Amino acid sequence: MPPPSGPPRGRSRLLGRCPAVALYGPELDGDSLPALYEQLRRVHGPVAPVMIAPGVSAWLVIGHREVLRLTREEQDFSHDPRRWTLLREGRVPPDSPLLPIVGWRPALLYTDGQQHRRMRTAVSDALAAIDGHALRRTVRASAEALIVSFADRREADLVPHYARRLSLQVLTGLLGLDDRNGQLLAQAIMGVIVTNADSVNASGRMDSILRELIKEKRRRPVDDLTSALLNHPANLTEDEVLHNLVVMFVAGHQTTVNWITTTLRVLICDPGFRSSVSIGHLSVDDALDLVLWRYPPTQNVPARYATRDLELGGRHIRAGDMLVLGLAGANQDPEVLPEGGTPVVGNRSHLSFGAGPHMCPAQDPARLITRTAVDTIQHRLPELELAVPESELAWVRSPWSKGLAALPVRFAKPQLPHAPESPARPQEI
């Protein structure tokens, strides 16, 4: 396989000598970013200088090998943002919309070593206790109820009408939230993710909702993730429980929406692929994995912070520099893709769930939810087609999340025997 064009991986360059590319702004969306990653790769190689906000520099790591090193070598690359030079020197404004995402929290995403292992054990055990069969039934019942709700119209936007509602119902139920507070939490979290002037206020609303949830579960624990974290032998504090719930929801909700809708888009728009799935040559899991390779639900993940001066991908990285995990860019690294750039079906060496000690602990339930959501709508609405030309589909404008802003479809009226019963709340699982 020929090596990628651009600077060799071994050539050292300094951030100050390379113009940094803005990784923010309304013009960046899921349609334009892949070309930007390839431009950065040609010009800068696997580690590129970027600006993640006005005046805020970072390194975007888009080499597959380099991302693996970044995720595996905690002694060189810390998760703790309190090591970040720009933050320590007061060069990030306290009202910066970045802070709700990268600011330190007492959660597994922001810790290293023993503290991380203690929290991860609690989170992993809580997730492992989820009954997969019951979760599948809950997802299917919720999905069928949503399909019934729009079936008579013979058209729908599968982002707000299906995927977003389904993910919200399932995830807030797993946390033990009621419908109203689940909606409020989702709105607050979306306000954090979009990183705008209201992000700090949205973060406060999110914390308030979860503190009330924790108080309730202290009084009346049931079979849900919040109760499991509160009662785990790791003895998490209430602050640790709250912020790990934030991480679980932020990492789980929008990514699940993106994964469901992007998979449906591939199945609707690629007749050959849809036919291969229909006749059993490819499975829905194959479709899910190809989406993870080509359109990972999370494009870029902040952040790691260098613990010392070092070399990475031919760059001189200084202690305290921020490094952003360019998952989407790394998945398209020519060094790991077969000739022609098409991932091999069944290959799960993509980085969409991260790697190393911080690899996503929720990937099994996330896959189950997504697979069930896709299976259910394929079964109930087998003749889905786009209601607009594919070229008119719009992507969410975010450098972090990769998902469709809308997926308008139409279909023949399905033969539904009856409206399904309301699904059991996931806390009853």
Side-chain angles (χ1 to χ4, degrees):
M1 184 183 304
S5 59
R9 274 181 152 90
R11 183 177 299 165
S12 178
R13 293 177 177 233
L14 300 178
L15 179 59
R17 296 178 184 172
C18 301
V21 174
L23 198 66
Y24 62 91
E27 69 281 1
L28 292 182
D29 62 17
D31 200 31
S32 62
L33 279 168
L36 176 62
Y37 302 143
E38 294 317 301
Q39 176 190 349
L40 290 173
R41 198 188 314 277
R42 287 193 302 271
V43 175
H44 301 289
V47 180
V50 295
M51 305 294 288
I52 58 173
V56 181
S57 59
W59 296 102
L60 178 65
V61 184
I62 52 177
H64 193 277
R65 183 199 319 167
E66 287 74 18
V67 171
L68 286 178
R69 181 182 170 194
L70 197 62
T71 57
R72 291 172 175 172
E73 299 182 4
E74 282 189 309
Q75 73 278 9
D76 289 337
F77 304 104
S78 172
H79 286 72
D80 191 336
R82 292 172 295 187
R83 292 179 177 267
W84 187 17
T85 297
L86 297 186
L87 190 63
R88 287 189 291 106
E89 294 179 351
R91 293 157 62 188
V92 181
D95 60 348
S96 169
L98 287 171
L99 288 182
I101 296 179
V102 304
W104 183 81
R105 292 175 181 269
L108 77 171
L109 193 61
Y110 306 92
T111 54
D112 305 308
Q114 181 57 39
Q115 276 293 84
H116 170 254
R117 289 189 288 274
R118 181 177 71 89
M119 293 188 201
R120 185 179 175 92
T121 297
V123 170
S124 296
D125 288 350
L127 291 167
I130 296 172
D131 184 329
H133 295 292
L135 178 59
R136 183 180 296 107
R137 290 194 297 271
T138 297
V139 176
R140 191 177 304 281
S142 294
E144 293 194 341
L146 289 170
I147 293 168
V148 167
S149 73
F150 58 69
D152 286 342
R153 300 198 301 269
R154 304 189 189 184
E155 62 180 14
D157 182 341
L158 296 183
V159 175
H161 299 156
Y162 186 66
R164 189 174 297 148
R165 290 181 185 175
L166 179 59
S167 173
L168 178 62
Q169 289 174 7
V170 173
L171 292 180
T172 57
L174 286 171
L175 266 58
L177 276 165
D178 58 44
D179 290 335
R180 177 180 176 277
N181 282 309
Q183 291 277 359
L184 293 174
L185 179 64
Q187 291 168 10
I189 286 177
M190 283 305 298
V192 172
I193 292 173
V194 297
T195 59
N196 58 25
D198 189 52
S199 292
V200 174
N201 292 332
S203 181
R205 295 193 298 272
M206 178 177 67
D207 287 3
S208 177
I209 293 167
L210 289 174
R211 289 195 186 281
E212 287 301 315
L213 173 66
I214 288 169
K215 288 180 184 178
E216 177 188 340
K217 300 306 176 182
R218 280 287 193 205
R219 293 192 300 267
R220 291 187 294 274
V222 292
D223 187 12
D224 57 34
L225 292 176
T226 305
S227 300
L229 291 180
L230 286 168
N231 294 291
H232 193 272
N235 294 319
L236 271 60
T237 67
E238 289 196 1
D239 272 354
E240 289 173 339
V241 171
L242 183 151
H243 291 289
N244 280 292
L245 290 176
V246 170
V247 168
M248 292 166 72
F249 200 106
V250 169
H253 176 49
Q254 189 60 40
T255 54
T256 300
V257 174
N258 295 349
W259 198 7
I260 292 170
T261 52
T262 308
T263 303
L264 289 172
R265 169 183 171 267
V266 171
L267 291 169
I268 293 169
C269 298
D270 188 333
F273 197 91
R274 179 172 55 191
S275 175
S276 295
V277 172
S278 298
I279 63 179
H281 288 170
L282 295 175
S283 68
V284 171
D285 271 313
D286 293 329
L288 298 181
D289 284 318
L290 285 173
V291 166
L292 292 178
W293 272 106
R294 295 172 176 169
Y295 317 102
T298 300
Q299 295 220 52
N300 302 301
V301 175
R304 302 292 194 273
Y305 306 91
T307 62
R308 62 182 180 87
D309 290 359
L310 50 81
E311 294 283 330
L312 180 69
R315 299 289 183 179
H316 177 61
I317 310 297
R318 294 186 175 91
D321 281 358
M322 174 192 278
L323 300 104
V324 175
L325 284 71
L327 303 184
N331 279 353
Q332 296 303 308
D333 188 339
E335 289 206 350
V336 298
L337 290 179
E339 195 167 347
T342 301
V344 175
V345 171
N347 182 349
R348 292 188 180 176
S349 62
H350 56 74
L351 297 174
S352 298
F353 291 115
H358 283 256
M359 178 178 280
C360 175
Q363 54 186 290
D364 289 340
R367 181 177 288 269
L368 187 154
I369 293 167
T370 304
R371 183 198 307 121
T372 305
V374 172
D375 268 337
T376 303
I377 201 165
Q378 276 198 302
H379 176 67
R380 290 300 186 189
L381 304 175
E383 297 180 3
L384 278 176
E385 61 180 36
L386 287 183
V388 298
E390 185 179 0
S391 60
E392 293 183 11
L393 292 177
W395 295 87
V396 173
R397 296 186 181 278
S398 168
W400 314 111
S401 178
K402 174 143 186 166
L404 290 164
L407 184 60
V409 296
R410 53 179 172 247
F411 45 86
K413 185 174 182 180
Q415 296 298 314
L416 297 173
H418 57 80
E421 296 179 3
S422 298
R425 291 293 294 164
Q427 64 260 37
E428 298 171 3
I429 291 173

